[in-house]
Each structure stands twice: as structure tokens, then as C-alpha cells.
């Protein structure tokens, strides 16, 4: 039996408050499918009981788990390829010149999901910029989902996952195989820091980044939340830093101090200050 409309509305409201993710009323079936495993984990029979438990206990932990469970975690290595070409052809060479004195490169992947995006960035750096081997190169991978972050930091992928977007040469060079599991080598993993971070709450981040990736997550927020997140992201960006959003996402109408740039077939944005 489908969950009742008041329960769907209760969940939509709770999810929007917890994570900013806006789900449509018509997505009740999807919400139920995503929440069934969580209900089972909590020892409850179904999603209806889960809602009753949430209403009764008002448990912040359970509410947080609900928001995490409905996230969409679709990702792949070298997704949309162009941003990584732009990193290689222009952005990292430019930043390398600019940061030559302090020998530091900092990149933030703000919705890293299971890690294919930060590991792709790490591969671009290791593959094409050997001179950075004695720099302080740090990639910060964050996500709201604890499950995704655990996967991300494990660096372990199935055959199906490595078949999606990863050139065979990179697979052999940067992964170790054990049966059907491919594990990222320490030389890539050591470049990455993993941290749980909800983009709609306060950010325990002090770094200033040269490049920020917030790709394929803005589509889940309303305009106001999107603008607020991007404005705060810009405060974590070095002057002239680069921002990547997803290819289907836009900053139009958000009134942000960004300059659009096209590099190697992709659009990115620069925050021109000072
Ligand atoms: C579709 S994936 C995108 C992954 C990767 N950036 C890419 O483009 O392939 C969206 C990710 O955003 C995360 N997410 C959703 N809402 C979030 C929030 N409020 N704060 C942080 N991450 C969030 C989800 O957990 C999910 O892993």
C-alpha cells in the first residue's frame, strides 16, 4: 500500500529542513523505496511505522538518517569529462604559476558521493603534473551521506563502477585488484581528506580553495538555498579561484559575483575579487 499523503508531506518537509533537498509530492513512491531499508534497520515493519516513530520521538538522528537515505548518489569517473580537461589544460597550470611561492594546491569536492569525482581529480594531478609531487596538494571530499563518505574513503569499486568512464590505462596504473574489487592506490588516496558536511548547515571548514566542485547537487535545492550555498562557497575560495557546477545546473538568476568562463568545452565560474 502506498504511503498516505500526510506522511509524504511530513517526510518532504522533514527532508527539506534537514538537507535542503526539495522532493515533489509525486515522488512518494521513490521516497518509500529509499526509506524501506532504513525502516528495516530501525527494526520497524514499514515506512508508515518509520513516520510514526519520527513523529513520536522527534529523534534528530533518525531525521538525519532519513535525509541521507533519500539522497541521489549517481556519479562516475571522469563524469562529463570536460571539467577535467579544463583542469589539465588551463586551471592547474595557472594555479601552479600563481601558487609557486607557497607550493600549495587545494581543491574541494563538495558533493563527492562515492568518490569517483575526487579520485578523478587526483588522477589528473598525478598523471599530468609530476612537478606537484613535492607540493602540499590536498583534495577535500565532503558529502552529507555517511554511507557514501565511507565508500569514498574506502576507495573500493566494483568492476561495473570502474567500467564507467575510467580509461583502462588509469585503472591499471592507479588501482589494485583483489577478486572483483578494485582499490585505489595510496598514492591517490593520500591526496584526499574525507569529511562529512551538510551544505545547508554550518561548515567546519577553514581552508581557502583554488578550485571548488559543487556538481550535480544544486539541482536538489531551491533557488534561495542554492544562492546561499554558492555565496558561502565563494567565501572559501581564493581570489580568482574556479568554481564548477554540473553541466545541467545554472547560476542564472542567483545574482552572484561570478564571471562565466569557457575552457576546453566546459563552463566554469570565477570569483573575481581584490
Ligand atoms: C548526484 S551526486 C553528485 C556526485 C558528484 N558531484 C558528481 O557530479 O558525479 C549528489 C551528491 O550530493 C549529496 N548531497 C545532497 N544533499 C546534500 C547536502 N545538503 N549537503 C551535502 N551533500 C549533499 C548526495 O549525498 C550525493 O552524494
Amino acid at each position: 500500500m502506498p504511503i498516505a499523503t500526510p506522511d509524504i508531506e511530513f517526510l518532504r518537509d522533514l527532508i527539506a529542513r534537514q538537507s535542503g533537498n526539495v522532493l515533489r509530492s509525486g515522488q512518494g513512491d521513490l521516497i518509500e523505496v529509499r526509506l524501506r531499508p532504513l525502516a528495516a534497520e530501525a527494526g520497524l515493519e514499514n515506512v508508515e511505522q518509520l513516520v510514526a516513530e519520527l513523529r513520536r520521538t522527534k529523534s534528530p538522528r533518525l531525521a538525519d538518517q532519513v535525509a541521507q537515505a533519500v539522497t541521489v548518489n549517481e556519479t562516475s569517473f571522469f563524469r562529463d569529462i570536460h571539467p577535467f580537461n579544463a583542469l589539465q589544460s588551463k586551471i592547474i597550470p595557472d594555479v601552479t604559476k600563481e601558487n609557486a611561492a607557497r607550493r600549495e594546491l587545494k581543491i574541494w569536492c563538495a558533493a563527492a558521493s562515492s568518490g569517483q569525482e575526487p579520485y578523478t581529480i587526483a588522477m589528473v594531478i598525478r598523471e599530468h603534473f609530476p612537478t606537484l609531487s613535492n607540493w602540499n596538494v590536498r583534495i577535500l571530499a565532503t558529502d552529507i551521506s555517511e554511507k557514501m563518505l565511507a565508500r569514498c574513503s574506502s576507495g573500493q569499486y566494483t568492476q561495473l563502477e570502474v567500467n564507467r568512464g575510467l580509461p583502462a590505462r588509469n585503472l591499471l596504473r592507479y588501482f589494485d585488484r583483489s577478486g572483483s574489487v578494485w582499490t585505489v592506490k595510496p598514492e591517490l588516496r593520500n591526496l584526499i581528506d574525507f569529511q562529512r558536511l551538510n551544505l545547508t548547515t554550518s561548515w567546519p571548514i577553514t581552508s581557502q580553495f583554488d578550485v571548488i566542485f559543487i556538481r550535480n547537487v544544486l539541482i536538489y535545492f531551491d533557488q534561495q538555498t542554492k544562492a546561499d550555498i554558492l555565496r558561502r562557497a565563494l567565501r572559501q575560495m581564493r581570489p580568482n579561484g574556479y568554481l564548477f557546477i554540473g553541466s545541467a545546473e545554472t547560476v542564472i538568476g542567483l545574482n552572484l559575483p561570478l564571471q562565466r568562463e569557457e575552457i576546453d568545452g566546459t563552463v566554469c565560474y570565477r570569483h573575481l575579487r581584490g
Side-chain angles (χ1 to χ4, degrees), residues 19-21 71-76 79 110-114 117 143-145 148 197-200 215-217 220-221:
S19 68
N21 285 225
T71 54
V72 177
N73 309 115
E74 166 65 18
T75 188
S76 56
R79 183 176 187 178
S113 188
S114 40
E117 187 174 72
D143 200 280
I144 193 174
S145 162
M148 285 305 118
L197 185 144
N198 180 349
L199 287 165
T200 61
R215 297 198 313 152
N216 302 304
V217 65
Y220 303 110
F221 303 129

Side-chain angles (χ1 to χ4, degrees), residues 114-156:
S114 40
Q116 284 88 333
E117 187 174 72
Y119 287 121
T120 298
I121 296 168
M123 279 185 264
V124 170
I125 292 169
R126 279 290 170 256
E127 190 74 10
H128 302 285
F129 301 94
T131 53
L132 296 185
S133 59
N134 58 0
W135 279 42
N136 180 26
V137 175
R138 301 308 311 155
I139 301 165
L140 175 65
T142 66
D143 200 280
I144 193 174
S145 162
E146 291 160 305
K147 280 193 179 140
M148 285 305 118
L149 214 56
R151 288 219 50 210
C152 187
S153 78
S154 79
Q156 297 195 326

Side-chain angles (χ1 to χ4, degrees), residues 70-221:
V70 298
T71 54
V72 177
N73 309 115
E74 166 65 18
T75 188
S76 56
F77 291 102
F78 289 91
R79 183 176 187 178
D80 302 333
I81 191 74
H82 303 289
F84 307 104
N85 291 340
L87 269 188
Q88 181 192 331
S89 68
K90 172 155 170 62
I91 296 173
I92 296 183
D94 279 5
V95 175
T96 306
K97 272 184 220 145
E98 203 154 308
N99 296 0
R102 62 172 179 274
R103 291 170 164 255
E104 185 175 86
L105 169 65
K106 292 201 169 173
I107 300 179
W108 179 21
C109 244
S113 188
S114 40
Q116 284 88 333
E117 187 174 72
Y119 287 121
T120 298
I121 296 168
M123 279 185 264
V124 170
I125 292 169
R126 279 290 170 256
E127 190 74 10
H128 302 285
F129 301 94
T131 53
L132 296 185
S133 59
N134 58 0
W135 279 42
N136 180 26
V137 175
R138 301 308 311 155
I139 301 165
L140 175 65
T142 66
D143 200 280
I144 193 174
S145 162
E146 291 160 305
K147 280 193 179 140
M148 285 305 118
L149 214 56
R151 288 219 50 210
C152 187
S153 78
S154 79
Q156 297 195 326
Y157 297 96
T158 63
Q159 188 67 52
L160 203 68
E161 287 169 326
V162 297
N163 284 350
R164 292 188 63 204
L166 189 61
R169 187 179 176 284
N170 291 48
L171 178 61
L172 299 176
R173 165 96 179 71
Y174 295 108
F175 290 74
D176 291 316
R177 182 183 185 165
S178 170
S180 59
V181 177
W182 292 87
T183 306
V184 172
K185 289 195 173 166
E187 82 170 283
L188 288 192
R189 200 181 173 283
N190 291 344
L191 294 177
I192 304 179
D193 300 307
F194 308 90
Q195 192 177 329
R196 184 175 184 232
L197 185 144
N198 180 349
L199 287 165
T200 61
T201 60
S202 60
W203 302 349
I205 288 185
T206 49
S207 288
Q208 291 282 297
F209 298 93
D210 300 293
V211 188
I212 299 180
F213 283 71
I214 305 192
R215 297 198 313 152
N216 302 304
V217 65
L218 298 173
I219 35 168
Y220 303 110
F221 303 129

Side-chain angles (χ1 to χ4, degrees), residues 17-28:
R17 274 187 284 113
Q18 288 292 136
S19 68
N21 285 225
V22 179
L23 292 155
R24 295 186 307 279
S25 307
Q27 288 183 295

